Amino acid sequence: MSSSEFLSQFLFTLISFALLLMLVGAVKRMLLWSQGQSSTIHWLGLLQIPRRYLVDLHHVVARDKYMSNTHVATAGGFVLSSILIVLLYVFQLKLQILTWALLGSSLLMFVGSIFVMIRRRNPPPNLSLGQWQRLPKSLMVFSLSFFILTLPATGILPSDTGGWLLALLLVAGIIWGIGEMFCGMTWGGPMKHAFAGALHLGLHRRQERFGGGQSTGLKAIDLSSKKLGVEKPIDFKWNQLLSFDACVECGRCENNCPAFAAGQPLNPKKLIQDMVIGMAGGDDAKFAGSPYPGIKVGTHKGGAIIPIVNVLVESDTLWSCTTCRACVDACPMMIEHVDAIVDMRRFETMEKGQTPGKGSEILENLSATDNPNGFAPSTRMNWAADQNLTVFGHNEKKQEVTQADVLLWVGDAAFDMRNQRTLRAMIKLLRAAKVNFAVLGDAECDSGDLARRLGDEATFQRLANSNISTMNKYKFNTIVTADPHAFHCIKNEYGEFGGNYNVMHHTGFFAELVSQQKIKLDNSKELALTYHDPCYLGRYNGEYDAPRFLLESMGVKIKEMDRSKSTARCCGGGGGAPVTDIPGKQRIPDMRMADVIETKAEIVAVACPGCSAMLEGVVEPRPEVKDIAELMLDALIEGVVEDTAEVVVEDMVGGAV
Amino acid sequence: MSNNNLSVISLVSIGEHPTSRRPRRAEQDARAIELGIKLVGDNLQTLHAGELSDDDSQQTALRSYLGMGLAEINLLEMPENSDAVLVIAEHLKQKKPDIILTGVRAENGESSGMLPYLLAEQLGMAMVTSIAEILSVDEVNKQAEVLQALPRGQRRKLKVDLPFIASVDMAAALPRQSAFGPARRGQFEEILGTSFTDQESSEWQTADAKKRPKRLKIIKAKTAADRFKAATAKASGGGGKVVHGVEESAQAILDLLVEEGLV
Ligand code: SF4
Ligand code: SF4
């Protein structure tokens, strides 16, 4: 028997055996996922895997051109090679064309693996080491082995070249390569991401995210269930467990996480890896990436039926998150970190009553007064005592107001002197544009954003239901608000409770008015200005253009920050982070202000009451913080719309109480 | 602290939020529960005089005590116009608890702050007002050491014989957070109270209490420096002195009344 005959027979056995082993591993892995709670299985999504991989996933990967090209070569070469290997060596289809194709695909993969190798020579801190440093070598061995193996078959080299020595080397290489690339896929090596990742793309819990869609609202839970929120890994939905397995430890989430950068004990990448440890059982000693700042790696362990918090993950880790979604947006595997974090917070708050910091007080206030700071609900309209606003329902003059074009959602800015300035500016602008609007007055409650993100789903649902039943009493076309958090809640989260409305953020609404010439802005001002994207407007709702359009209509050339639009850094105000107040090395708003100062801007335009509060909290001297509505009011050219005064007076019925 | 054999009953009422006037867990009662849980853990018994209301917000308020981790609250049912003090006293006489905890005063209703005193009188127990903490309980010698809260952060350590009633001050440790899950799952045990009709209160006229007007400080300062001093000076409690004897006490009170122009 010649060495080439031996190789061909041996490979048949080896590859068949490896495939069998892979299958066993796959079943074991699936059993791990199936420990999770039931959740809709989107079978049709499985058909979409190639498309989602090539379009949606690569759309994210391509933010790093080097890596996306590398991945196309390596993964493309690998997938092609694998198919050809199975055809050639398992099904023994000895077609010349297949051999040539394998030669090409393994070469492609080899080229890709060289770039992986280069990238990993001096890996940036966001990349994991450990087994991930082994991967480029495995890729090379796999591709090179099959490349050399295929050369004689194509006739480029005479058969039996190299004799038994080369044959043995090839056997060794192929065992290594196949072990890593096939068996490792389901037995938990770095290649696990290919198997779990593909299934995760198909069976994703938020199918709407693919094909350019959006799905950012938190999902409601049944408040009468036996356990509220996630205590143990098995309390996650099965498809969440699957999603954790898809992580490639690329650390893009880590690079974008404001809490991590501020030295708070959170690293979204480690969190996802910890969830994997929890699901499969074990400790975190082998984790080879950046730790949670201030917490040593190797000190925690977990298991599928062991509580997570303070065993596997410290509670401070969960409460450091601002729910800014920067991690989710940056994740090439479309993993939903925020869902997981809020799920665990729900258990902490609703089952254990362990919301840290001022959490308990704030939630109690929300229950008793419908606003986080415990102000009397009857004083909600005090800020507008001089505004003569139309209030839905009974007004002072006893005239019933039941409809308006616009419902102006005031939000908790009503109780905050700083943000009352923004509200006043908005009202002047609305009146200048002759918009027919009314407010809910004292009947408005907090949107529930804060409660929900602090894990208090019960209070959120109460507030949501109360707001929905109030709003359903009246007729209006659009809800307009200056608060992106309320905007997001009403737009994306009230739907599950039967509240479906046309909601606009004030920047979107004003952008329409400006383009319709209903508001005219002076565009002669020269302002050194930058714009800070609010997370809940940008990443949560994809609105990056309207605020910029408005600023440009005022003649401003925006000095964009490095981290802007989808990679904008959070101001630190979301997700109840100011309430839980987990200590770090620096404060997130200070970091964001440093980004602003880097652009040499004198003004930072904001579009969220939370952002203005956080950024104005940075010690002076610093650039001025102004809401876009305030800037617009400064630039407003009055009197373009005729008869404004009369119409407004006619519209007004009664006033604020 | 392991006080396994100690029987502690905490009385809870439905409070009222000061700005919204909505029902909530009363702040002092919640502190009493916190103190009780720290003292005897799961053995703490909780008693509410009244039925379970159909009103959701009333129920939620009562349930928020359950949300602190109590398995159940005992509801002492009584007809509407009963005298709660007598009904509670009758019930407690049978229970014979070692320690009874209450708030200093209710957040609504009569809010007289008399309940612990009247109960102590009925039950023949000692009564300690405004405690901040129970330091230790000596079950053998039937004695407890408690910390009483005095104005301006002062504390006084007292020894009191069991059984006793203590009203818990705002200075006591903050109550733990009430969690929704346990609040929803906690149970109410209904007990029928003996009926004692309150004859007097039906004849009363009630009006909302008004805030007591603040006494104006008349400052006869000539210079800015004096005014500044007067504005920033700590209130010095120089007026008080310890008086012994009935005669002297009566005289002191009379002097004060004359000074204030009330007599
Ligand atoms: S969670 Fe996503 S972004 Fe973060 S390391 Fe894993 S794959 Fe990368
Ligand atoms: S949502 Fe923001 S703060 Fe939370 S983990 Fe992701 S990047 Fe970090």
Side-chain angles (χ1 to χ4, degrees):
Chain A
M1 184 160 76
S2 71
S3 61
S4 62
E5 280 163 26
F6 161 76
L7 268 181
S8 139
Q9 274 172 28
F10 175 74
L11 283 184
F12 171 77
T13 326
L14 180 72
I15 296 169
S16 308
F17 180 67
L19 289 177
L20 196 72
L21 214 60
M22 184 171 127
L23 206 68
V24 174
V27 172
K28 280 190 69 171
R29 212 70 209 172
M30 287 181 189
L31 286 176
L32 281 183
W33 303 331
S34 70
Q35 300 174 97
Q37 306 298 307
S38 66
S39 171
T40 325
I41 306 178
H42 303 280
W43 292 112
L44 282 180
L46 290 175
L47 298 177
Q48 303 270 335
I49 292 175
R51 205 194 127 74
R52 289 176 182 177
Y53 167 71
L54 292 170
V55 180
D56 299 278
L57 183 141
H58 256 277
H59 187 72
V60 184
V61 180
R63 289 182 202 163
D64 179 347
K65 278 276 174 303
Y66 179 97
M67 207 45 227
S68 79
N69 293 336
T70 304
H71 195 256
V72 166
T74 325
F78 168 64
V79 171
L80 213 58
S81 302
S82 306
I83 297 173
L84 293 165
I85 288 167
V86 171
L87 291 179
L88 278 167
Y89 294 100
V90 180
F91 294 106
Q92 312 265 355
L93 285 173
K94 299 276 182 222
L95 293 176
Q96 248 330 277
I97 177 152
L98 295 183
T99 321
W100 279 100
L102 179 56
L103 194 70
S105 65
S106 56
L107 184 64
L108 179 67
M109 182 177 169
F110 182 68
V111 173
S113 66
I114 290 174
F115 283 100
V116 180
M117 188 70 116
I118 295 172
R119 162 93 153 188
R120 291 223 160 239
R121 259 208 326 235
N122 273 315
N126 56 303
L127 289 183
S128 287
L129 305 178
Q131 55 175 8
W132 290 90
Q133 286 299 79
R134 189 183 73 218
L135 185 61
K137 293 176 205 140
S138 305
L139 292 170
M140 278 186 165
V141 169
F142 180 90
S143 51
L144 205 58
S145 300
F146 278 100
F147 183 75
I148 296 172
L149 177 75
T150 320
L151 277 178
T154 54
I156 295 177
L157 287 181
S159 58
D160 293 333
T161 313
W164 284 96
L165 180 66
L166 184 65
L168 280 182
L169 276 177
L170 283 179
V171 165
I174 288 171
I175 291 180
W176 174 354
I178 282 186
E180 178 83 279
M181 301 302 294
F182 286 4
C183 304
M185 221 190 269
T186 59
W187 285 88
M191 284 309 292
K192 185 186 64 175
H193 80 273
F195 168 62
L199 288 179
H200 163 60
L201 284 184
L203 301 168
H204 200 285
R205 193 160 169 235
R206 295 175 180 272
Q207 297 277 314
E208 308 85 341
R209 277 191 69 186
F210 300 97
Q214 230 177 13
S215 168
T216 56
L218 290 174
K219 298 195 180 288
I221 53 172
D222 177 5
L223 292 175
S224 60
S225 49
K226 270 206 235 91
K227 186 191 272 183
L228 303 169
V230 166
E231 179 192 22
K232 305 166 183 171
I234 54 163
D235 297 331
F236 282 112
K237 305 281 183 216
W238 68 268
N239 44 13
Q240 284 178 290
L241 294 180
L242 162 62
S243 77
F244 302 145
D245 249 351
C247 173
V248 283
E249 300 193 39
C250 67
R252 292 184 184 207
C253 50
E254 171 185 321
N255 267 353
N256 284 286
C257 177
F260 178 80
Q264 289 171 277
L266 168 63
N267 174 353
K269 168 170 122 180
K270 171 110 179 26
L271 185 82
I272 298 302
Q273 284 310 305
D274 280 350
M275 296 301 104
V276 175
I277 290 167
M279 165 176 70
D283 62 35
D284 68 339
K286 283 211 208 81
F287 178 70
S290 319
Y292 296 127
I295 298 178
K296 262 182 73 183
V297 167
T299 50
H300 291 73
K301 47 174 171 271
I305 51 165
I306 298 174
I308 297 170
V309 173
N310 295 337
V311 181
L312 180 59
V313 175
E314 293 300 321
S315 65
D316 277 0
T317 297
L318 299 182
W319 295 108
S320 295
C321 175
T322 68
T323 68
C324 72
R325 246 186 118 75
C327 49
V328 183
D329 199 84
C331 178
M333 302 309 289
M334 313 229 155
I335 295 169
E336 297 279 344
H337 313 65
V338 177
D339 281 354
I341 290 172
V342 172
D343 280 339
M344 291 185 274
R345 284 184 177 188
R346 283 172 172 167
F347 187 82
E348 288 295 292
T349 292
M350 286 194 290
E351 293 291 0
K352 284 161 76 181
Q354 297 275 356
T355 324
K358 288 224 166 297
S360 166
E361 189 185 324
I362 297 269
L363 294 175
E364 226 166 320
N365 283 335
L366 279 168
S367 296
T369 62
D370 304 330
N371 67 77
N373 292 312
F375 295 108
S378 57
T379 60
R380 192 173 265 278
M381 285 297 285
N382 285 7
W383 70 277
D386 57 347
Q387 298 290 317
N388 203 22
L389 294 185
T390 309
V391 182
F392 278 112
H394 287 291
N395 276 267
E396 233 170 34
K397 287 178 191 161
K398 296 278 177 277
Q399 213 168 328
E400 188 88 4
V401 177
T402 55
Q403 62 182 65
D405 281 344
V406 166
L407 186 162
L408 176 65
W409 185 272
V410 176
D412 292 325
F415 297 111
D416 174 53
M417 295 234 259
R418 162 66 185 89
N419 288 305
Q420 287 168 7
R421 294 212 305 265
T422 308
L423 292 174
R424 291 207 175 87
M426 264 178 89
I427 285 167
K428 289 218 180 85
L429 291 166
L430 288 170
R431 287 187 171 155
K434 284 200 338 186
V435 175
N436 169 263
F437 71 97
V439 296
L440 290 175
D442 292 344
E444 189 186 298
C445 300
D446 176 276
S447 65
D449 162 76
L450 180 57
R452 192 169 221 194
R453 269 137 274 267
L454 285 175
D456 192 346
E457 180 72 7
T459 299
F460 166 76
Q461 290 192 10
R462 186 186 67 77
L463 292 168
N465 285 323
S466 152
N467 283 325
I468 290 168
S469 74
T470 305
M471 289 195 283
N472 285 353
K473 285 192 246 168
Y474 309 117
K475 278 213 182 78
F476 48 84
N477 299 322
T478 313
I479 301 173
V480 176
T481 179
D483 181 352
H485 295 265
F487 170 58
H488 166 71
C489 271
I490 301 174
K491 183 171 169 228
N492 303 319
E493 298 189 346
Y494 279 17
E496 267 186 294
F497 306 94
N500 294 297
Y501 309 101
N502 176 24
V503 198
M504 291 183 90
H505 185 248
H506 70 319
T507 54
F509 188 71
F510 285 144
E512 268 183 16
L513 293 179
V514 168
S515 51
Q516 292 164 1
Q517 307 269 312
K518 290 194 178 147
I519 291 180
K520 224 161 172 216
L521 299 172
D522 170 14
N523 60 6
S524 64
K525 280 200 189 133
E526 302 252 320
L527 299 175
L529 180 148
T530 188
Y531 170 64
H532 163 76
D533 289 277
C535 308
Y536 278 74
L537 184 61
R539 277 185 296 269
Y540 274 82
N541 287 290
E543 181 65 278
Y544 302 111
D545 297 339
R548 288 181 170 78
F549 167 78
L550 286 173
L551 291 170
E552 279 154 17
S553 309
M554 291 182 253
V556 174
K557 282 215 178 53
I558 305 168
K559 298 165 170 286
E560 292 285 5
M561 290 181 262
D562 277 347
R563 291 179 184 265
S564 66
K565 299 194 176 170
S566 70
T567 57
R569 196 197 313 261
C570 176
C571 70
V579 174
T580 55
D581 202 17
I582 306 298
K585 295 232 161 53
Q586 44 183 337
R587 292 175 67 248
I588 297 174
D590 291 347
M591 288 172 5
R592 189 52 172 165
M593 197 49 97
D595 292 349
V596 172
I597 290 167
E598 216 170 80
T599 66
K600 305 219 163 51
E602 282 153 21
I603 298 175
V604 49
V606 294
C608 168
C611 297
S612 68
M614 294 308 286
L615 294 177
E616 272 199 350
V618 175
V619 283
E620 307 220 40
R622 50 147 173 79
E624 220 184 321
V625 182
K626 283 203 149 187
D627 193 278
I628 290 189
E630 293 176 282
L631 290 164
M632 283 179 72
L633 185 63
D634 292 344
L636 180 69
I637 302 174
E638 279 179 89
V640 272
V641 186
E642 289 158 36
D643 296 326
T644 304
E646 268 105 305
V647 178
V648 171
V649 170
E650 232 171 67
D651 281 353
M652 293 300 109
V653 193
V657 200
Chain B
M1 230 186 287
S2 72
N3 295 294
N4 292 335
N5 301 320
L6 210 59
S7 150
V8 181
I9 296 186
S10 190
L11 305 183
V12 295
S13 60
I14 294 175
E16 185 180 290
H17 193 275
T19 65
S20 70
R21 307 202 66 176
R22 284 196 213 151
R24 63 160 178 183
R25 68 172 174 171
E27 288 188 317
Q28 291 164 352
D29 294 0
R31 280 169 173 74
I33 299 259
E34 179 66 38
L35 198 152
I37 293 177
K38 287 213 182 104
L39 193 63
V40 291
D42 289 344
N43 286 341
L44 177 72
Q45 301 166 63
T46 312
L47 184 68
H48 171 71
E51 282 156 34
L52 196 58
S53 160
D54 294 333
D55 183 348
D56 259 355
S57 57
Q58 299 266 337
Q59 253 202 49
T60 310
L62 209 49
R63 283 197 175 275
S64 61
Y65 294 109
L66 290 169
M68 297 174 74
L70 308 170
E72 57 174 35
I73 291 179
N74 290 309
L75 292 183
L76 195 53
E77 293 191 340
M78 51 187 191
E80 214 166 279
N81 53 355
S82 323
D83 187 334
V85 173
L86 297 177
V87 184
I88 296 174
E90 193 58 36
H91 175 74
L92 292 177
K93 264 180 210 160
Q94 293 155 19
K95 284 268 175 184
K96 296 199 177 55
D98 297 311
I99 301 174
I100 300 168
L101 300 172
T102 73
V104 173
R105 64 170 70 232
E107 292 182 352
N108 52 10
E110 283 175 37
S111 190
S112 64
M114 286 299 286
L115 180 107
Y117 293 96
L118 295 172
L119 277 181
E121 186 188 31
Q122 290 279 328
L123 297 169
M125 287 181 178
M127 149 78 184
V128 199
T129 56
S130 300
I131 66 163
E133 214 180 320
I134 294 186
L135 297 170
S136 65
V137 181
D138 181 347
E139 286 177 60
V140 182
N141 297 317
K142 297 253 164 242
Q143 221 175 34
E145 232 176 25
V146 305
L147 211 54
Q148 189 180 39
L150 300 174
R152 290 197 209 108
Q154 297 178 80
R155 299 286 182 271
R156 171 158 60 194
K157 205 200 277 182
L158 298 172
K159 272 209 169 84
V160 51
D161 289 334
L162 297 182
F164 68 93
I165 294 185
S167 63
V168 177
D169 192 84
M170 286 297 281
L174 276 176
R176 65 194 58 197
Q177 186 175 350
S178 171
F180 177 81
R184 193 174 52 83
R185 287 187 287 264
Q187 298 290 322
F188 292 109
E189 280 304 318
E190 282 156 10
I191 323 162
L192 202 60
T194 331
S195 152
F196 291 98
T197 321
D198 185 347
Q199 268 122 11
E200 284 161 43
S201 67
S202 54
E203 285 156 31
W204 293 350
Q205 277 188 2
T206 52
D208 276 0
K210 288 211 188 75
K211 258 224 165 95
R212 217 187 303 171
K214 263 221 182 99
R215 184 189 298 252
L216 284 178
K217 237 200 279 176
I218 298 165
I219 298 161
K220 298 190 197 88
K222 289 254 159 53
T223 65
D226 284 347
R227 273 195 297 277
F228 180 74
K229 222 190 264 166
T232 54
K234 267 210 209 108
S236 52
K241 55 176 175 275
V242 182
V243 190
H244 298 283
V246 182
E247 292 272 310
E248 285 92 340
S249 310
Q251 190 59 49
I253 292 171
L254 186 63
D255 287 351
L256 179 76
L257 293 177
V258 171
E259 193 186 308
E260 297 285 333
L262 293 169
V263 183

